[in-house]
Amino acid sequence: MSRIKKLGKVIDGIRHSMTETRQKTESSEIVETLQPINFHVCETVRYGFPYQPTTAAYDPVQNLIAIGTKSAVIRLFGQPGVDCCIKHPDTNAAVLQLLFLANEGALISVSSNDNIHLWNIRQKKPEIVHSLRFEKEKISFCHLPVQCKWLYVGTERGNVHIVNIECFQLSGYVINWNRAIDISDKKHPGAVVHLSDNPADPGKLLIGFESGLIVAWDLKSRQVEARFSYAEGLTCISWHHEGKQFLSAHIDGSLVTWNLRTPGKPHSIQLPHARDGPEGRPESCFPIAKVAWRTVRNGEAFVIFSGGLANPATAASSLTVMRGKSVSVLDMASAIVDFIPLCDTPHVADFQAPYAVAVLLEKGLVVVDLTSAGYPCFENPYAMDVHESPVTCCRYLADCPPDLIPALYSVGAKAKPSHAARSSGQWPIKGGKWGVSACSYPEMLVTGHADGSVKFWDASAVMLQVLYTLKTGKLFERRTTTDEPLAISRLVLCQDSRVLVVAAAGGHVVVFRFCQHEATADVSVVHTTLLSELDEHASADAHDAGRTRSSQGVSGDKGGVQGQAALSHDPKTSVQVRAGAHKLAPGYQADLVCLLGWVDDEPPAPVSSLAYSSAYGTVAFGNDNGLVVLDCLQKTLLLCVSTADLYGTQDPHARTPRTPLSRKEQDSRHASDGAKTPPSEQRPTPAGALEPSAASRLDKDAAFSRSSSVSSTETAFREAVVALAFVDAYTKRHGGCSVAADTS
């Protein structure tokens, strides 16, 4: 008995201590110390190719390349991992031109709003040191000689101003256009399109005007030394390293060589890509946008230019390399914006011997190897093909399993095509240094694209590296129109089971399983149609099937779902799975495809939510019309319910009996029965009873009243399933799995 009393006292003591602890916890208030100012979102790194590039510059000493864009952004690239993005403050003006101060860690940018900025790039975060704005004239071209403190600025009015870059102020020295032209010529020469100093005499400045006039100006005597005139408009000029000749490019696709001793007559005129026309005259060619004349000490010189072709389809994307009698035309993937020959020396008065040429395209950066036969391209280490096809969805995964990234890299290396035209040399742009900034945990980025491809990226370090590319379009029949139905709209990746589920714009969902070996297998297909019960224009066949159609197997076997009628044919879909066995490459292999059918010749609504449960092997997805749940193990349809049914209190699996006749057939039968029934046999409506039309309206109102949780039935019909999650339910002894859906 005493033991029982002692045990009771111990229990009472425990209860008392727990009560005191609970009271202290409730009485104590949590003091919030964090403030909104303690949180700040900052950009750590930017991946992908610069959007809408406009110009490029190269520092041959520091081995850095800079790219300017239309949105006032400048990207600096060096060796793999060196990537810096800077933006002009308080403006979105396009960057017209970039100029490196060779080996000085400085960069000059010229914007379309007539501002000139001097950037200090020696620090980790580049900043603007000086700025200068032109108020009365618009800037058209700038030139900065090597190791010179004078910046020459040409304007659209044809004048040339000189800026001291040490103090970043105008020097007062102005070369007016009316002093550059001949006295007898009263016509305006146009804007200044080129400025350069003579390699042999820096005191002589070459000024190129838009009209085709070229003037050699003596800076010391402040007068014209020589004038060179050509009938066609001028685009660019390039000097020979000896300073006795220069090459001018024009809008008719011609290259004109001039000698300083004979300014009145061109030394030579050539049209590299012009063919003789029917009357013996050369055919017209597109303008040459830029030309570079580079000499080699023990070899023939290079003449590189963009454009100048007669074919309009390839004129903007062609790069021509001329060396002696050899002429090579390189066709790029997109239009050429700018190009820069890569040389070891920044001095134009020396043999430059270019070993490569960096070509800035509208959608990429290509570096051509000039030392190898056939001029192959270097393998680009930067992640510039992120937007090779527009990114339509993205998922970031942190703290991935340690074996996931190596497995993806392994299968990606096997599937990587061999490029016979790739250079075996190393990437030539190798300047800058970047500290160790790799994360302590592996990170991965998965992107879905408009062409139906899914790319896996290793984002653990500063540089984004592609691991593996999956092309979902190979599963379906080829389309002669666009790839819009293949665009990836949603994706879910289970890191533990390595199961990938993607949803596309065409209304189809594909389940992929990871396998490191090649296989040949059939892909199971499930057809279904999501149709709202409130749709007045729904097809009769959909109502006959209980708003759900189902068929399985690529062999064409029809299989029904429990409680649902089987169909004699598959519904129309946006894409068709290729029949027969599929040869599946190592990596992610298709295991199940679910196709949503069309309704009344209208494509299905896009998938708005997607979820996967690896514990139960089930997939759920929803759109504007309802929810679908698939069993990936049995490859069958578990549930297909409309949005209106989700608001109801009844069991979504319950289906009210329906007549096999369509609504149109019912209306026509009622109309025919009414016509056949004599007026004398038609019974009058009893007192207190409703008319048939009123009764039908009452039934319709009763069906609409099921969505009482929203303000209107139309709103309920248009609500989409925007979020899905698999949760564990413990309503029974052994528990289970349920799907939580959110609509808005």
Side-chain angles (χ1 to χ4, degrees), residues 665-678:
E665 293 176 348
Q666 295 180 44
D667 296 339
S668 62
R669 176 165 292 190
H670 289 318
S672 60
D673 292 343
K676 293 178 181 179
T677 305

Side-chain angles (χ1 to χ4, degrees), residues 385-392 447-453 455 483 487:
D385 55 347
V386 176
H387 296 275
E388 183 178 7
S389 177
V391 177
T392 53
T447 56
H449 299 264
D451 61 350
S453 61
K455 292 186 178 182
D483 294 334

